[in-house]
Amino acid sequence: MGDDGRIVVEVLLADHPFEGFLDPVRRRAAEFGAAHPDYEVRISTYRYWAETGREDFIRILDRGRVPALVDVFFTETQHARDAVAATGGPLFTPVQRAVGGRREILGEPVVLDDFVDSARRYYSYDGELVSMPFSVSTGLLYANMTMLRAAGITEVPQDWDGLEAACRAVVQTDGGPPHAIAWAVDGWFFQGAVCQQGGLLADHANGRSGRAQKVDLASEELLAWATWWQRLHKDGLYFHTGAAQDWAGTFEAFIEGRVAFLCNSSVMAQSVVSAGAQAGIEVVADGLPRNGAVPYSGDVLGGDSLFLAAGLPPEVEDGALAFLQYLLNPEGAAAWHKSSGFIPVTHGSHRLLEAEGWFADKPHHLEAPKQLDASDGTPAATGALVGELANMHADLVQAMRDVLEQGADPARRFAQATDAAQQRLDDYNRRTVERHKAHWLEAAQLTPRTSDRGPGTT
């Protein structure tokens, strides 16, 4: 209870390095409190992307006590599912289980069945929605159509071969840029490329049918992507800034006209299009190019979801669940899309935006939902659910830097990355099992066995 007697729902959100990023959520929290005078939603934040942000967040989980709602970056989904409460048992409870089939909570209509399919699949396990998709994104290809038309290209390429040919045409044009394409050296793009080709990063159906025990960072699909990338770089078509995860540097190269193509997050669609217009560039957003030699499976999503703490008092749990429905009702999800750039995560919000003419005026916002909707729904397309995914991304980044900067052989270098990632996953799984066993033993010691009871007891 708060000092004023209201029921307090504590919410921990991931803040982004953009001014006023969470202001819309804070407004929704205030509106919810006004509509439900018995409740107060209190928001605190953490910076996952800060220098020690991930370590700080893991420490929050490992303490075993969390606020009612916790915003979890997608790479930490398995860690959140494995987290143990200080009192024993899971730290979080599945949202769908807590809703329990209700159609409304505290008068707020339940939106669990309205999520776009790709988001619902990613955050579900055994058909049960574990956490609420909140901020969902995917990768997009941004094209400088002004530059492309000068090279005789009128449409954005759809596959790797077409993109490579367009890159060569652009740099060979009189007055063309020194390079043709840029994207950050980031593990997310590796995941996306493997997803597109129907490949798996982990066993047990990418960790979807059981705990992931084995990883493969040197699969046929991953090496196809890495060797194509290596060729673009060797031929001077790909622009490498020399830094890992240089999202800002690649963005600047595109806006300054030093490349004709940029692969970046769909969250940046409005920023890329607006900055391009200010620079006199016509920018078109399209789906990421695909390996045309294999069937397309889907593209991985990014972003984060909201987990519900286990063991809450019933009135607090209902308040948290009701706030989730309010936050992501059609108006709320549409407003979050407009302010943040993340996709409208429910069908209702998409319909609302469409009726308003939002997509007709800003067609670049349609590409991410369209790309995610094209998924075939397989575990490959859904993406990997695996422990230490963030560090696996780091292994991929370092391996690719060695390929680009030192000429390392991709097959050999990514086999080494697999060994490192496997050791890390083995350690993670062992620690997880040991932690769970410790809590099981503690619980067993606190529960009297039949043989320990006195005569005549049952």
Side-chain angles (χ1 to χ4, degrees):
M1 289 285 184
D3 294 337
D4 55 3
R6 292 198 291 173
I7 301 165
V8 175
V9 176
E10 300 278 0
V11 182
L12 178 63
L13 296 177
D15 203 357
H16 289 236
F18 306 117
E19 185 177 355
F21 177 73
L22 288 176
D23 287 352
V25 184
R26 291 189 172 94
R27 286 194 293 271
R28 296 293 288 180
E31 292 167 4
F32 180 84
H36 301 273
D38 291 340
Y39 284 88
E40 177 189 359
V41 177
R42 291 181 184 172
I43 293 175
S44 58
T45 64
Y46 71 96
R47 284 288 182 93
Y48 183 86
W49 298 268
E51 184 176 355
T52 62
R54 179 176 186 266
E55 291 77 8
D56 293 342
F57 178 69
I58 297 302
R59 279 194 288 271
I60 290 173
L61 296 187
D62 288 347
R63 281 201 298 265
R65 291 185 177 86
V66 291
L69 296 172
V70 179
D71 194 7
V72 178
F73 194 51
F74 81 103
T75 55
E76 306 303 335
T77 301
Q78 183 65 50
H79 201 120
R81 290 183 67 245
D82 287 333
V84 176
T87 55
L91 184 61
F92 298 105
T93 193
V95 170
Q96 185 172 344
R97 195 177 304 172
V99 169
R102 288 176 284 179
R103 306 311 300 172
E104 64 176 39
I105 301 173
L106 301 183
E108 302 295 340
V110 172
V111 300
L112 265 61
D113 293 336
D114 197 38
F115 286 115
V116 297
D117 293 345
S118 57
R120 184 176 180 87
R121 279 193 300 269
Y122 191 92
Y123 292 111
S124 293
Y125 195 82
D126 282 342
E128 181 179 57
L129 187 68
V130 175
S131 56
M132 289 281 277
F134 177 46
S135 300
V136 173
S137 63
T138 190
L140 291 179
L141 176 68
Y142 299 96
N144 180 334
M145 294 307 299
T146 308
M147 198 175 283
L148 293 188
R149 290 194 184 97
I153 302 167
T154 58
E155 295 184 354
V156 180
Q158 300 297 302
D159 60 25
W160 295 355
D161 289 344
L163 180 57
E164 185 173 346
C167 287
R168 296 187 189 281
V170 164
V171 297
Q172 291 169 5
T173 303
D174 288 342
H179 304 281
I181 189 168
W183 63 82
V185 184
D186 190 278
W188 192 43
F189 286 121
F190 285 94
Q191 248 199 288
V194 173
C195 280
Q196 284 186 339
Q197 300 172 79
L200 299 173
L201 285 180
D203 64 351
H204 297 293
N206 248 357
R208 300 286 168 178
S209 65
R211 176 176 296 278
Q213 303 283 350
K214 299 291 182 183
V215 295
D216 186 1
L217 307 189
S219 65
E220 178 182 352
E221 293 83 9
L222 193 143
L223 290 179
W225 161 253
T227 53
W228 177 70
W229 184 352
Q230 180 189 41
R231 183 170 71 247
L232 292 183
H233 181 250
K234 280 185 175 179
D235 292 351
L237 303 176
Y238 170 78
F239 172 59
H240 177 39
T241 67
Q245 299 173 299
D246 193 1
W247 297 87
T250 53
F251 176 92
E252 291 169 2
F254 180 75
I255 297 303
E256 293 170 1
R258 289 183 279 139
V259 294
F261 296 101
L262 171 70
C263 296
N264 206 304
S265 170
S266 60
V267 173
M268 297 299 294
Q270 189 60 53
S271 297
V272 176
V273 170
S274 297
Q278 292 178 359
I281 297 170
E282 179 190 351
V283 177
V284 169
D286 211 328
L288 288 174
R290 306 163 182 177
N291 183 353
V294 299
Y296 174 72
S297 185
D299 273 273
V300 73
L301 58 74
D304 42 331
S305 68
L306 295 163
F307 275 74
L308 175 70
L312 296 171
E315 66 277 9
V316 176
E317 180 174 278
D318 278 356
L321 289 170
F323 176 63
L324 286 179
Q325 313 316 310
Y326 181 76
L327 181 64
L328 293 170
N329 67 20
E331 294 78 11
W336 181 236
H337 161 73
K338 286 181 177 180
S339 68
S340 68
F342 289 104
I343 74 164
V345 76
T346 65
H347 297 293
S349 61
H350 189 101
R351 288 192 295 269
L352 180 61
L353 291 162
E354 195 169 42
E356 291 178 355
W358 174 261
F359 296 122
D361 185 50
K362 301 177 185 295
H364 44 277
H365 285 307
L366 264 177
E367 293 306 315
K370 185 169 69 176
Q371 182 168 265
L372 289 176
D373 286 347
S375 169
D376 64 12
T378 61
T382 300
L385 182 61
V386 56
E388 292 293 337
L389 183 56
N391 282 323
M392 188 186 302
H393 280 193
D395 292 328
L396 290 166
V397 167
Q398 187 54 58
M400 195 66 208
R401 291 192 70 183
D402 290 346
V403 169
L404 297 176
E405 298 167 11
Q406 301 178 24
D409 174 67
R412 183 177 299 111
R413 185 60 187 85
F414 283 98
Q416 294 171 351
T418 298
D419 291 340
Q422 185 62 57
Q423 181 63 56
R424 198 176 285 114
L425 178 61
D426 290 343
D427 291 344
Y428 171 85
N429 284 340
R430 185 181 63 254
R431 292 195 308 272
T432 299
V433 170
E434 289 173 352
R435 186 165 62 248
H436 287 185
K437 280 184 177 179
H439 283 280
W440 293 335
L441 288 172
E442 182 178 351
Q445 290 169 356
L446 294 174
T447 303
R449 294 172 298 173
T450 302
S451 60
D452 292 335
R453 297 169 182 168
T457 61
T458 58

